[in-house]
Amino acid sequence: MELLCNAPPHASVPERYIFPPEKRAAMELDGVDGPDDGVTLPVVDLNRAALSGDEGLRQRVAAEIVRAGKEFGFFQVVNHGVGEDVVRGFRDAAAEFFAMPADKKLPYCSNDQSKPFRLATSTTYDRGETRYWLDYLKLQCHPVSDELVQHWPTEPTSFRPRLTEFSEAVHELAQTLLRLIAEGLGLSASFFADDLSGGETQMNINYYPPCPDPSLTLGLLPHCDRHLLTVLSQGDIAGLQARHNGRWLLVRPVPGAFVINFGHQMEIITNGALASVEHRAVTNSAETRMSVATLIMPKMDCRIGPAPEMVDEATNPAKFSEFVFSEFMDAYYTAAASREDVLECFRIHEN
């Protein structure tokens, strides 16, 4: 497997990475059709110390999260309780892994999606031949167990302890967010606990080396997430774009923040109130960019459908039928991550 992170710098973009004009990123590097129109993602201050004892503040923050979610499907959180040393420690360890010589990484290279830890490169577009400009790690990261840790690399030596620390902290943050989202929607605080968020937590570490001509390439396809909630550390370099009112908005990095977005399961459970929004990654020519996405998943045998509290037969009838999460996963892969195609499999149409 030929990894971009081990290849010498390219003077031009190889043919297999060049997208047809209609598939290229619409946003130019100068901000055209992008973030400079005055629209930015909300930044929510969780202020966890105050949340623990101030019910009024907690309700206001919960309402702020739901408001941001309804408008954008994305928001950023600060004062989230995950220490900067924890975030930086794991990001540094992951960067060290990608920087290792190719022969040290070769044992982890695989396209077998059943592996709990694997390294791969350049997913293809619409099952065609054009390839995305990235290498990536896909791994299971929570719950942490001795058996799971054995699949993680022993080099760099900091990788296992830093991943354990980061995974535990982000899992706690995700549960805090889910409680706040539930309360903001008028559900019980524990609504998303247990089966709805108790599946094996996955992590995607996407590594985008500098690209000689970003206008010809994409880092990651436009897609919506298939799970419940994503907690993203995007670092200090912009590259994530989210769809909003027909435009692609650049998610500008906020120091110390995590980017939060909803997956299809959240959209279905809330009967469309909190939508899963399409997003993608663009490349740049100057710097390597690395993002770390933690994906909160239901259990595979969990039954999912609109929450009764989110349905009103007269004014807001159920938009989706019930299903088992494993059925949704099958439909997602069949639909090649297409938002409308996968939701159509479970949408209820009025007669």
Side-chain angles (χ1 to χ4, degrees), residues 265-287:
Q265 308 315 305
M266 183 67 76
E267 178 166 355
I268 291 166
I269 291 165
T270 64
N271 205 32
L274 298 179
S276 180
V277 170
E278 195 174 41
H279 50 286
R280 68 184 183 187
V282 294
T283 59
N284 76 83
S285 60
E287 299 178 275

Side-chain angles (χ1 to χ4, degrees), residues 59-138:
Q59 292 176 358
R60 289 195 294 275
V61 172
E64 187 179 353
I65 287 173
V66 169
R67 192 162 52 246
K70 287 182 175 180
E71 183 175 359
F72 291 95
F74 273 78
F75 56 95
Q76 302 200 58
V77 293
V78 295
N79 289 331
H80 42 65
V82 182
E84 179 60 25
D85 58 331
V86 173
V87 177
R88 180 53 54 193
F90 179 59
R91 289 185 63 89
D92 287 349
E96 282 186 60
F97 177 87
F98 281 105
M100 291 194 308
D103 62 316
K104 288 185 175 291
K105 291 179 292 200
L106 183 61
Y108 304 103
C109 290
S110 176
N111 290 316
D112 181 354
Q113 297 189 25
S114 68
K115 287 182 174 292
F117 186 99
R118 66 186 182 94
L119 172 65
T121 188
S122 310
T123 54
T124 55
Y125 182 83
D126 290 345
R127 300 186 181 130
E129 297 302 319
T130 308
R131 306 183 75 81
Y132 291 94
W133 191 269
L134 86 159
D135 298 326
Y136 59 91
L137 280 172
K138 287 187 180 289

Side-chain angles (χ1 to χ4, degrees), residues 146-321:
D146 290 342
E147 181 181 357
L148 178 61
V149 170
Q150 294 308 307
H151 294 282
W152 299 348
T154 56
E155 292 185 82
T157 56
S158 60
F159 193 95
R160 288 182 174 183
R162 293 299 190 182
L163 174 54
T164 297
E165 190 177 30
F166 181 83
S167 174
E168 296 285 4
V170 171
H171 180 77
E172 182 178 345
L173 168 60
Q175 294 304 314
T176 295
L177 288 167
L178 289 171
R179 287 191 292 272
L180 288 167
I181 291 166
E183 292 173 20
L185 292 169
L187 305 170
S188 69
S190 62
F191 181 87
F192 292 106
D194 301 324
D195 287 1
L196 283 175
S197 62
E200 296 174 344
T201 302
Q202 307 292 314
M203 182 180 289
N204 295 341
I205 307 173
N206 294 327
Y207 187 88
Y208 307 94
C211 176
D213 189 348
S215 70
L216 302 177
T217 64
L218 276 175
L220 201 58
L221 79 164
H223 68 287
C224 294
D225 294 340
R226 63 192 182 276
H227 43 275
L228 183 66
L229 188 78
T230 300
V231 181
L232 175 75
S233 168
Q234 76 161 338
D236 302 325
I237 301 169
L240 171 66
Q241 293 180 330
R243 201 81 157 143
H244 178 66
N245 291 338
R247 300 170 67 103
W248 287 107
L249 300 182
L250 188 68
V251 180
R252 295 191 180 278
V254 172
F258 282 99
V259 180
I260 311 298
N261 69 280
F262 307 128
H264 285 307
Q265 308 315 305
M266 183 67 76
E267 178 166 355
I268 291 166
I269 291 165
T270 64
N271 205 32
L274 298 179
S276 180
V277 170
E278 195 174 41
H279 50 286
R280 68 184 183 187
V282 294
T283 59
N284 76 83
S285 60
E287 299 178 275
T288 294
R289 175 175 177 266
M290 186 179 71
S291 66
V292 181
T294 303
L295 318 177
I296 306 303
M297 312 273 279
K299 291 183 177 179
M300 283 296 173
D301 60 356
C302 178
R303 290 202 64 82
I304 293 172
E309 297 90 338
M310 305 300 298
V311 173
D312 184 299
E313 292 302 329
T315 61
N316 187 35
K319 297 178 174 65
F320 304 97
S321 58

Side-chain angles (χ1 to χ4, degrees), residues 5-16:
C5 60
N6 287 120
H10 290 88
S12 61
V13 178
E15 184 69 26
R16 63 186 179 276

